[in-house]
Amino acid sequence: MASIQLQGKIFITGEIETTTGLHIGGSAGELDIGGVDNPVIRNPLTREPYIPGSSLRGKMRSLLDRHFNRSLNKPIRRNPPRVRVHECDRLADYNECSVCQVFGVAPARGMEDTMPTRLIVRDALLTAETRDRFDNIDTDMPYTEVKTEVAIDRITSAATPRQNERVPAEATFGPLEMVHSLYTLDTDPTGSVDREIALFDTVLTGMELLEDDYLGGSGSRGSGKIAFRKLKVIFKSRRHYEDPRSVPITTLAHGDGVAALRGVDYQSQISDAIRA
Ligand SMILES: [Zn+2]
């Protein structure tokens, strides 16, 4: 049985701003949607649109799979349209794969133990500032716009309109919170904290790839560009949890956009904080 020692947690907080309209699909069955073909996901209690942590996390992982050219070895759906994802199924591969170490793997035959998932991404709700601003303007539906797209038959030119609900540009969601845990595992032959801290760079790479791609649906047709704003990266060491008064929280980086978080020396700052 593997043993897993928590060394500390890195928190990324901030806001997500929509640069274009954003469509993260909800379920048409559950809501009275007033005839929109593709509604956005809404909080069932407040009816406000939100960004599910699973959407952020899933998109970052899929962009990283492509970035690192990971094999899409695991079928999620075998019937067309086929959906395949990457997940290491041997410990030796896992130990070399930053994507699986950060985002986790399901138990597999070639893995004796369940391996930890390092990254947690929480849901991001509409900010009060955006809610107040949108309350005072006339949107098509509460906090959203309805974008009509038209598919045109290439022979008859017959047009088939289709309605997409979107959160408009310049909406902000927050607080965003991502929590990246640092562990040392006895299944890792090196057992090195430095190697563990280096995995955090994969999270930042995923965020930067996402800023340059899109979130949700209709990305190739102009939706889903987002920017991370008011970012702050802090670290709580294992000893902080034991004695928060004598081992304070360390602020590692802050700024607007993921670029502001890159090129920071996380290795030495976190190593110092763990030893403090
Ligand atoms: Zn992998």
Side-chain angles (χ1 to χ4, degrees):
M1 185 61 205
S3 77
I4 299 169
Q5 169 78 67
L6 176 71
Q7 298 294 342
K9 288 177 182 283
I10 305 171
F11 295 76
I12 305 176
T13 57
E15 290 180 354
I16 295 174
E17 184 182 306
T18 58
T19 312
T20 65
L22 171 69
H23 174 86
I24 297 179
S27 158
E30 289 167 16
L31 304 162
D32 56 333
I33 43 142
V36 178
D37 301 328
N38 288 305
V40 299
I41 190 162
R42 289 175 184 267
N43 179 322
L45 298 178
T46 63
R47 314 298 304 274
E48 294 169 12
Y50 71 103
I51 299 177
S54 57
S55 298
L56 282 168
R57 199 177 186 287
K59 186 69 189 204
M60 283 166 60
R61 183 173 195 158
S62 76
L63 293 169
L64 286 162
D65 281 346
R66 289 187 195 177
H67 177 72
F68 291 114
N69 192 23
R70 293 290 173 240
S71 64
L72 302 178
N73 59 328
K74 191 178 170 186
I76 297 292
R77 213 185 119 106
R78 290 177 190 279
N79 301 325
R82 287 201 299 169
V83 177
R84 289 168 299 173
V85 299
H86 163 77
E87 261 187 34
C88 287
D89 50 15
R90 290 173 46 229
L91 184 59
D93 297 336
Y94 173 89
N95 281 333
E96 298 298 320
C97 178
S98 62
V99 178
C100 287
Q101 290 182 71
V102 169
F103 291 88
V105 290
R109 227 179 297 161
M111 306 271 273
E112 281 181 22
D113 298 300
T114 304
M115 305 309 282
T117 294
R118 288 171 173 81
L119 183 67
I120 298 168
V121 182
R122 305 206 196 277
D123 294 345
L125 308 181
L126 205 63
T127 60
E129 183 273 321
T130 296
R131 191 191 311 127
D132 293 347
R133 191 154 46 85
F134 285 9
D135 276 342
N136 292 319
I137 54 177
D138 190 19
T139 51
D140 299 325
M141 295 179 70
Y143 313 111
T144 60
E145 63 188 9
V146 175
K147 180 168 178 271
T148 302
E149 295 180 352
V150 179
I152 296 168
D153 184 286
R154 299 298 187 265
I155 295 173
T156 65
S157 297
T160 310
R162 162 178 70 185
Q163 291 184 315
N164 256 317
E165 187 185 16
R166 306 197 305 178
V167 175
E170 295 179 33
T172 53
F173 292 86
L176 162 74
E177 187 180 63
M178 300 195 201
V179 186
H180 180 81
S181 296
L182 301 181
Y183 297 115
T184 40
L185 278 68
D186 67 0
T187 49
D188 171 17
T190 65
S192 135
V193 181
D194 284 356
R195 193 172 171 280
E196 186 68 23
I197 298 168
L199 288 177
F200 179 60
D201 197 57
T202 302
V203 178
L204 298 179
T205 304
M207 289 173 71
E208 187 163 357
L209 288 168
L210 176 55
E211 276 191 334
D212 293 342
D213 202 88
Y214 64 89
L215 186 63
S218 302
S220 63
R221 299 194 299 280
S223 294
K225 183 168 170 59
I226 57 130
F228 292 102
R229 300 280 181 231
K230 300 180 187 172
L231 291 169
K232 193 171 172 187
V233 185
I234 63 162
F235 179 69
K236 294 182 182 180
S237 69
R238 170 163 50 101
R239 291 198 48 244
H240 168 83
Y241 288 98
E242 292 162 6
D243 186 0
R245 280 193 207 174
S246 62
V247 185
I249 295 168
T250 316
T251 299
L252 303 173
H254 57 85
D256 273 335
V258 182
L261 306 186
R262 309 211 76 176
V264 172
D265 186 356
Y266 294 102
Q267 287 281 357
S268 61
Q269 289 192 86
I270 293 172
S271 303
D272 290 351
I274 287 174
R275 279 195 297 267

